[in-house]
Amino acid sequence: MMRKINEENERMKRRYLQYRKRAQRKDLKSVQKDAEGILRFEQSTGFKSFKRFHIEQAIKFQDQLENEVSKATGKPLSKSTIRSILMANKRFFFWLADQSGYKSRIRHSDADYFNMDAKGARVASAVRDTPYPSMEMARHAFSYMPEVTEIDRRNKALFAFFMLTGARDGAVASLCLKHINLIDGCVYQDAREVKTKNAKTITTYFLPLDAEYLATFTAWVTYLRTEKLFGPDDALFPPPQIQAVDGAFTVTGLKREIYQNANAIRAAIKDAFLRADLPQFTPHAFRKTLVKWADTAYPTREAFKAFSQNIGHSSVITTVSAYCPVAIERQAELIKMKS
């Protein structure tokens, strides 16, 4: 069934989303979330014109979100999801109050009715302890990875690379061979070509971990360059080339282009942990593993700052607060410690 639309609303949404993308320079994912959040509100009003907005609609919408059940999980929407939806609408109606034909109907203060209550906001912004593999778990999973096919070798090199760099999966999926410098032992994440967070250019030196990680990754790069004859602009972790052979689809080699997203890369890492009968950690979990390791490996302020820069953080505060919080139990031990 096609969803209902209000043509006037669609024109205003199109203008607003263009403003978010072109004027405020928001990325495509942020703009899409805004569009989805505004659509939810429209659905709650039966697609009435935005010109007919009144605060009771916003109040009713909040109540609906609190009682809504996620189709994906079968559970109530999380507070963070609700906050994201409400903020999308708050920003939109604040903008709408300045637009011709809406100024006399919507005030800037009307947007405040999309605010979440203080208790819900605290829950939505609460930092949760996310699971991550220990160094030993990662090494165990790595040792269980096969090296029979090209894809096996690629995946094992991929795992090693995450441990050597702590790079984000989106960036890794877009890396080419030219970004790798084996002589100096680093990867140049050029934001003009690599999909780094916030389009930040990062030079990441390989971390001095288990020598097997570096050997595996180095062997993979050498294989691509000398045996597969991949050039500088070819993918570092290429997708498989799949063709029909004897009536069945079979992997026949490697493509040269990069992945368009990180889905396959995440799946490869999850599968590595599953094969070792461990929880299916994502590549992002490696970042916390490495920060925990670095907290001991780089004890001086300067050394830890260098590590922080190495994983793409401009501030050490980001590294510590996001990836190295003090557990409640340890907090108690430290506070009760006598000098």
Side-chain angles (χ1 to χ4, degrees):
M1 181 182 294
M2 293 183 63
R3 69 176 177 86
K4 293 174 61 177
I5 64 169
N6 180 307
E7 291 184 2
E8 185 180 36
N9 286 359
E10 291 298 310
R11 286 194 294 271
M12 295 311 296
K13 287 194 297 181
R14 193 177 302 113
R15 283 180 53 191
Y16 173 68
L17 297 176
Q18 185 78 350
Y19 165 75
R20 288 280 285 166
K21 182 178 180 180
R22 298 301 182 186
Q24 296 190 325
R25 311 305 296 179
K26 299 300 178 181
D27 60 32
L28 182 59
K29 287 184 178 179
S30 297
V31 174
Q32 287 176 335
K33 285 185 177 180
D34 283 344
E36 291 166 4
I38 298 168
L39 176 59
R40 278 178 178 265
F41 175 74
E42 275 193 288
Q43 290 171 330
S44 74
T45 68
F47 293 90
K48 290 181 180 177
S49 170
F50 293 136
K51 289 181 178 178
R52 296 176 60 186
F53 172 80
H54 52 82
I55 60 177
E56 287 77 11
Q57 290 176 343
I59 296 171
K60 179 183 176 183
F61 181 53
Q62 286 218 38
D63 291 339
Q64 288 182 355
L65 290 177
E66 291 290 345
N67 295 314
E68 187 174 333
V69 174
S70 169
K71 294 179 180 178
T73 66
K75 298 178 181 179
L77 297 180
S78 68
K79 293 297 184 183
S80 59
T81 297
I82 293 174
R83 181 179 63 172
S84 176
I85 294 169
L86 291 175
M87 285 304 298
N89 283 281
K90 179 178 180 177
R91 289 189 294 263
F92 174 60
F93 278 92
F94 191 89
W95 173 85
L96 206 57
D98 287 326
Q99 307 308 307
S100 177
Y102 294 83
K103 293 180 181 180
S104 62
R105 301 168 185 269
I106 300 174
R107 296 173 295 179
H108 288 112
S109 59
D110 289 340
D112 290 334
Y113 285 90
F114 289 102
N115 284 332
M116 179 178 270
D117 64 88
K119 182 179 178 180
R122 285 194 295 272
V123 173
S125 59
V127 177
R128 293 165 179 80
D129 193 23
T130 54
Y132 64 95
S134 65
M135 281 290 188
E136 294 73 21
M137 292 168 71
R139 188 64 178 84
H140 180 68
F142 179 74
S143 68
Y144 267 74
M145 297 182 77
E147 298 181 79
V148 178
T149 68
E150 279 187 327
I151 298 302
D152 289 339
R153 294 175 64 185
R154 182 205 67 178
N155 290 346
K156 193 158 187 174
L158 175 66
F159 192 110
F161 185 75
F162 277 120
M163 289 300 294
L164 289 168
T165 64
R168 296 177 183 275
D169 54 23
V172 173
S174 60
L175 286 171
C176 295
L177 279 172
K178 65 182 175 184
H179 300 124
I180 302 301
N181 180 343
L182 291 180
I183 296 175
D184 293 327
C186 66
V187 51
Y188 181 58
Q189 300 181 57
D190 188 341
R192 294 169 298 180
E193 301 167 326
V194 181
K195 297 176 183 177
T196 58
K197 186 176 181 180
N198 297 325
K200 184 188 298 183
T201 294
I202 309 163
T203 298
T204 300
Y205 289 90
F206 301 148
L207 296 170
L209 299 177
D210 193 315
E212 189 66 24
Y213 289 138
L214 183 58
T216 298
F217 176 68
T218 301
W220 173 248
V221 173
T222 303
Y223 172 73
L224 289 179
R225 288 173 173 169
T226 61
E227 295 191 41
K228 299 297 290 184
L229 301 181
F230 271 37
D233 292 315
D234 292 330
L236 176 62
F237 298 109
Q241 179 75 51
I242 300 176
Q243 296 177 325
V245 179
D246 297 328
F249 288 106
T250 305
V251 175
T252 58
L254 298 171
K255 296 181 179 179
R256 292 177 179 267
E257 64 264 26
I258 62 171
Y259 276 108
Q260 295 305 303
N261 58 56
N263 293 342
I265 283 177
R266 294 190 196 106
I269 299 302
K270 287 183 177 181
D271 183 66
F273 283 105
L274 181 63
R275 182 185 296 273
D277 199 25
L278 292 170
Q280 296 183 60
F281 296 106
T282 64
H284 194 80
F286 286 137
R287 291 174 67 82
K288 192 166 186 178
T289 303
L290 295 173
V291 172
K292 290 288 187 179
W293 167 81
D295 192 37
T296 301
Y298 299 110
T300 69
R301 183 176 62 181
E302 183 183 34
F304 194 80
K305 171 61 177 176
F307 169 80
S308 178
Q309 289 179 190
N310 208 59
I311 62 172
H313 289 161
S314 300
S315 169
V316 173
I317 295 174
T318 303
T319 310
V320 174
S321 62
Y323 296 98
C324 201
V326 177
I328 297 299
E329 295 79 8
R330 182 58 178 158
Q331 175 184 328
E333 291 175 9
L334 293 170
I335 294 299
K336 295 175 182 178
M337 227 180 243
K338 292 182 179 180
S339 58

